[in-house]
């Protein structure tokens, strides 16, 4: 069988290998999944206008984010339940991310504890994704575990005051992990707590986090320029333009459409990252031309993991890096520093 040539072909293999309910959990979104589709469609609506005769030389894909070096501007987004895709779960993902030289954002809903993820891939650069819990003492215990494991940033998801309604999961009756799996980062003594998504979480909790840890704080799920500006007043180190992959509130705009407004609002004060809909290297280049410092991919990593385990994740990340390099060359650019909004225009 011919190996997959791109992310979409990896998804086809993954669909065949995953339990149907687990595939739907990874692939699905909230409501009518309008936002899920919009994220990819937004990149397809953007055309590239390359420069010529630039003498740019070999492409350089490395980026530095919050003091951490990544070999390419494609990070591993936080996604839950990797052991549904492969027995090694997040351990395999972390090893592949380390081999690719990029940053993995470990989900709070990981099926492998953050300490074990770090131990499985000592060379990996790890950030930790956090849902602030109403019980701030428990939140602090999770933060301390992430610090002790060597995570170098906290990615705080702020778009989840409640849970999105995912009808694929309801049809499949998928409401819990199989026996023998749990969210290992939620262990608290002799029990595993549920993740509480609370409408009471506010800017006050970001201030409490800021006093709790010296780790840089990245806010994930910012979609309005006014909120981006307010985040700067609360000492945030970076922003993540994200609509949760379409899994929370349906009919949110695509992240590629939201990105320019957030970039303009912060005016270069902090890095702006993006996830949602990135499936090709040209998508990465478009996002960076519009001002993103880097992007993150979630579902593509899961497709690689389900298709071929650690090797599959490594191949997905390698394919994306090759595509980014090729797109930079063909656009007449040596690195992200050569990209600007004039490179892209609506189709």
């Amino acid at each position: 069988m011919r190996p997959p040539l791109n992310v979409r072909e990896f998804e086809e293999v993954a669909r065949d290998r995953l339990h149907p309910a687990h595939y739907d959990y990874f692939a699905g979104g909230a409501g009518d999944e309008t936002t899920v589709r919009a994220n990819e469609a937004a990149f397809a609506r953007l055309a590239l206008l390359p420069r010529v005769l630039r003498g740019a030389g070999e492409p350089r894909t490395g980026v530095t984010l919050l003091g951490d070096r990544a070999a390419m501007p494609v990070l591993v987004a936080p996604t839950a339940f990797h052991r549904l895709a492969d027995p090694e779960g997040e351990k395999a993902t972390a090893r592949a991310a380390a081999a690719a030289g990029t940053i993995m954002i470990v989900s709070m809903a990981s099926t492998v504890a953050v300490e074990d993820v770090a131990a499985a891939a000592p060379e990996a650069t790890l950030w930790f994704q956090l849902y602030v819990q109403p019980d701030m003492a428990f939140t602090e215990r999770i933060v301390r575990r992430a610090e002790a494991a060597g995570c170098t940033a906290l990615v705080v998801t702020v778009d989840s005051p409640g849970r999105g309604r995912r009808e694929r999961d309801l049809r499949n009756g998928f409401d819990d992990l199989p026996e023998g799996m749990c969210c290992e980062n939620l262990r608290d003594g002799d029990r595993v707590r549920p993740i509480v998504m609370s409408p009471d979480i506010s800017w006050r909790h970001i201030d409490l986090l800021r006093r709790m840890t010296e780790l840089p704080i990245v806010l994930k799920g910012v979609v309005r320029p006014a909120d981006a500006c307010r985040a700067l007043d609360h000492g945030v180190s970076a922003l993540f333009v994200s609509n949760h992959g379409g899994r929370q509130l349906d009919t949110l705009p695509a992240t590629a459409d939201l990105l320019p407004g957030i970039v303009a609002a912060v005016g270069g004060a902090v890095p702006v990252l993006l996830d949602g809909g990135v499936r090709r290297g040209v998508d990465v280049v478009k996002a960076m031309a519009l001002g993103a410092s880097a992007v993150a991919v979630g579902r593509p990593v899961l497709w690689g993991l389900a298709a071929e385990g650690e090797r599959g994740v490594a191949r997905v990340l390698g394919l994306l890096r090759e595509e980014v390099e090729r797109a930079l060359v063909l656009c007449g650019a040596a690195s992200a520093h050569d990209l600007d909004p004039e490179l892209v225009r609506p189709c």
Side-chain angles (χ1 to χ4, degrees):
M1 179 179 173
R2 175 179 60 78
L5 296 176
N6 54 55
V7 165
R8 289 185 177 85
E9 291 188 3
F10 266 102
E11 181 178 1
E12 293 172 7
V13 177
R15 184 189 291 114
D16 290 340
R17 296 188 177 178
L18 285 166
H19 186 289
H22 300 164
Y23 170 78
D24 278 349
Y25 172 76
F26 290 140
D32 292 321
E33 300 186 352
T34 302
T35 299
V36 175
R37 295 187 296 273
N39 278 339
E40 291 191 44
F43 281 111
R45 290 197 310 271
L46 294 174
L48 287 169
L49 262 65
R51 300 287 298 273
V52 298
L53 299 175
R54 300 272 287 169
E58 292 297 314
R60 301 184 299 276
T61 59
V63 294
T64 300
L65 300 166
L66 306 181
D68 289 327
R69 184 70 177 167
M72 61 178 175
V74 182
L75 282 56
V76 175
T79 49
F81 305 169
H82 287 207
R83 285 185 62 206
L84 293 179
D86 180 81
E88 283 287 284
E90 289 82 2
K91 293 180 183 178
T93 306
R95 288 192 293 261
T102 196
I103 297 164
M104 176 183 175
I105 307 171
V106 180
S107 172
M108 183 162 150
S110 169
T111 44
V112 177
V114 64
E115 299 89 346
D116 294 334
V117 175
E123 296 179 358
T125 301
L126 304 178
W127 295 357
F128 187 81
Q129 178 263 337
L130 177 75
Y131 294 101
V132 177
Q133 301 296 280
D135 183 343
M136 288 302 290
F138 180 54
T139 296
E140 182 167 4
R141 289 197 290 275
I142 296 173
V143 170
R144 296 291 174 247
R145 287 178 62 185
E147 291 174 334
C151 296
T152 52
L154 281 182
V155 179
V156 183
T157 296
V158 295
D159 62 4
S160 301
R163 295 183 185 275
R165 188 173 189 270
R166 300 169 197 164
E167 295 177 4
R168 295 202 207 194
D169 294 344
L170 294 172
R171 292 188 193 99
N172 292 323
F174 181 71
D175 57 5
D176 201 359
L177 285 165
E179 186 175 354
M181 292 187 201
C182 68
C183 296
E184 294 290 349
N185 295 318
L186 277 293
R187 284 196 181 275
D188 189 26
D190 59 358
R191 64 172 172 150
V192 178
R193 292 199 187 201
I195 294 177
V196 178
M197 296 183 177
S198 170
D200 294 329
I201 302 302
S202 69
W203 291 103
R204 177 179 69 86
H205 293 85
I206 302 304
D207 293 338
L208 290 173
L209 272 183
R210 181 66 286 148
R211 293 195 289 271
M212 184 185 297
T213 181
E214 295 184 0
L215 292 179
I217 292 174
V218 183
L219 290 194
K220 185 175 186 294
V222 177
V223 296
R224 294 178 65 121
D227 285 338
C229 293
R230 188 168 186 181
L232 300 182
D233 296 333
H234 288 264
V236 166
S237 298
L239 295 172
F240 222 126
V241 180
S242 174
N243 52 35
H244 215 108
R247 297 168 66 80
Q248 284 292 88
L249 178 64
D250 197 23
T251 74
L252 270 167
T255 52
D257 292 335
L258 294 166
L259 175 64
I262 302 298
V263 169
V266 301
V270 296
V272 177
L273 312 175
L274 171 143
D275 68 5
V278 174
R279 299 293 182 268
R280 287 282 192 177
V282 289
D283 300 336
V284 180
V285 169
K286 291 171 185 178
M288 297 186 75
L290 294 173
S293 298
V295 307
V297 292
R299 290 182 178 99
V301 166
L302 291 166
W303 306 147
L305 186 64
E308 299 178 8
E310 177 183 337
R311 179 172 178 269
V313 177
R315 289 193 59 214
V316 164
L317 294 173
L319 283 170
L320 288 171
R321 179 173 180 174
E322 290 172 8
E323 290 183 356
V324 170
E325 291 174 344
R326 185 175 297 108
L328 286 172
V329 168
L330 292 173
C331 285
S335 71
H337 298 295
D338 296 330
L339 305 176
D340 59 56
E342 292 185 359
L343 180 69
V344 297
R345 68 169 54 177
C347 291

